């Protein structure tokens, strides 16, 4: 089969690869669309020691089942493979399973014509839903999960909050769209890429600004989502958080720098780590996207898989304004 393979740092190669291994309980899926995630870019830059080339990356996928009990069904993939029997799994926190795995990390991912995955990880897609829209389920579920964590921490309803989202990529934008749907008092996105700022403004109506030109207001927000996860954005998140607020850390760009722990202590600012999602988050997000509650979703770019290497280069150089690039087959 053909696949886009991470072969070396800043090198993606479209080439022939072996067919996926299908274990008992797995399904073979013909891939239709798959998004490029920030973690794929992280690997592409050589910043993720868990993703060792040569490796087929990609986990935000939609396809048609070729084998197993769901044969012929169009599905979105839950790429997070968990044991199903530990206390975290049994308690509904599958994302915290100590034995979790992810396609595109240690096992082959979905930047390919076909991929295998346990049948329990398949989510049926409504017949009238576009493949590209369904591919937003995985990044959107991360945003949905982060909002759920925030709602449990805030003293007042989230609808009363002034909210800042740092980062206008797919996770940040989808988080913002979910917050808009919840009717928060005010909502802003901080994004440094001018092309992406224009795309967000044109397609969503959400206020978006350049934090380099105009930093977010100090102590200005009840809730801050850091969808980048760098030393600089963590510092900005705590700076902009008001007393008694919460900062939700979603991104994983680096592990450098420090935060103003003194401010966080004296002003009782809650810092929440957020990792991926649960199966319920994925199911809810798929139906939220399908319902139209988050708008047209036409802000994603679609690129053929065989041109994927060029898409990675363009993303690295800031030449694409879309919050999400979706590879198509």
């Amino acid at each position: 089969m053909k696949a886009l393979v991470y072969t070396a740092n800043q090198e993606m190669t479209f080439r022939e690869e072996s067919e996926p291994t299908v274990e008992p309980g797995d399904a073979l899926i013909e891939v239709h669309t798959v998004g490029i995630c920030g973690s794929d870019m992280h690997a592409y830059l050589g910043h993720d020691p868990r993703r060792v080339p040569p490796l087929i990356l990609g986990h935000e996928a939609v396809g048609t089942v070729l084998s197993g009990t769901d044969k012929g069904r169009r599905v979105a993939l839950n790429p997070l493979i968990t044991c199903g029997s530990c206390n975290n799994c049994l308690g509904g926190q599958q994302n915290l399973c100590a034995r979790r795995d992810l396609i595109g990390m240690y096992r082959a991912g979905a930047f390919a014509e076909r991929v295998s995955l346990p049948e329990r990880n398949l989510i049926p897609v409504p017949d009238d839903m576009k493949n590209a829209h369904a591919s937003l389920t995985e990044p959107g579920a991360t945003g949905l999960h982060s909002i759920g964590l925030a709602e449990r921490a805030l003293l007042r309803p989230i609808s009363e909050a002034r909210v800042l989202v740092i980062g206008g990529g797919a996770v940040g934008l989808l988080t913002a769209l979910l917050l808009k749907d919840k009717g928060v008092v005010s909502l802003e996105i901080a994004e440094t890429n001018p092309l992406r700022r224009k795309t967000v403004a044109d397609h969503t109506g959400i206020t978006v600004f350049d934090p380099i030109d105009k930093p977010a207001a100090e102590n200005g927000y009840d809730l801050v989502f850091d969808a980048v996860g760098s030393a600089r954005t963590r510092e900005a998140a705590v700076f902009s958080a008001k007393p008694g607020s919460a900062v939700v850390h979603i991104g994983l760009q680096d592990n450098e720098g420090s935060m103003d722990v003194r401010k966080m202590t004296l002003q009782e600012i809650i810092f929440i780590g957020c990792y991926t999602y649960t199966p319920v988050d994925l199911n809810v997000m798929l139906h939220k996207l399908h319902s139209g509650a988050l708008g047209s979703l036409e802000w994603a770019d679609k690129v053929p898989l065989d041109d994927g290497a060029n898409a990675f280069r363009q993303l690295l150089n800031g030449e694409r304004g879309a919050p999400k690039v979706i590879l198509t087959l």
Side-chain angles (χ1 to χ4, degrees), residues 71-94:
K71 184 177 180 179
R73 174 173 285 178
R74 193 164 57 106
V75 295
L77 308 190
N78 173 1
L80 195 64
I81 302 166
T82 59
C83 73
S85 58
C86 69
N87 286 344
N88 284 326
C89 286
L90 295 175
Q93 293 179 297
Q94 293 90 339

Side-chain angles (χ1 to χ4, degrees), residues 151-220:
E151 287 180 312
R152 292 199 289 273
L154 293 178
L155 295 177
R156 301 293 301 168
I158 200 169
S159 60
E160 299 177 10
R162 294 173 55 85
V163 186
L164 172 65
V165 177
I166 301 175
V171 171
L173 179 55
L174 287 163
T175 300
L177 290 169
L178 287 161
L179 291 162
K180 182 181 179 182
D181 185 54
K182 284 181 172 288
V184 296
V185 169
S186 70
L187 176 63
E188 296 175 83
I189 298 176
E191 170 56 51
T192 58
N193 184 322
L195 297 175
R196 187 172 283 174
R197 285 199 303 274
K198 185 177 187 309
T199 301
V200 171
D202 289 349
H203 286 274
T204 70
I206 296 172
T207 299
V208 57
F209 67 94
D210 182 357
I212 296 175
D213 179 59
K214 180 186 175 183
E218 184 176 9
N219 300 329

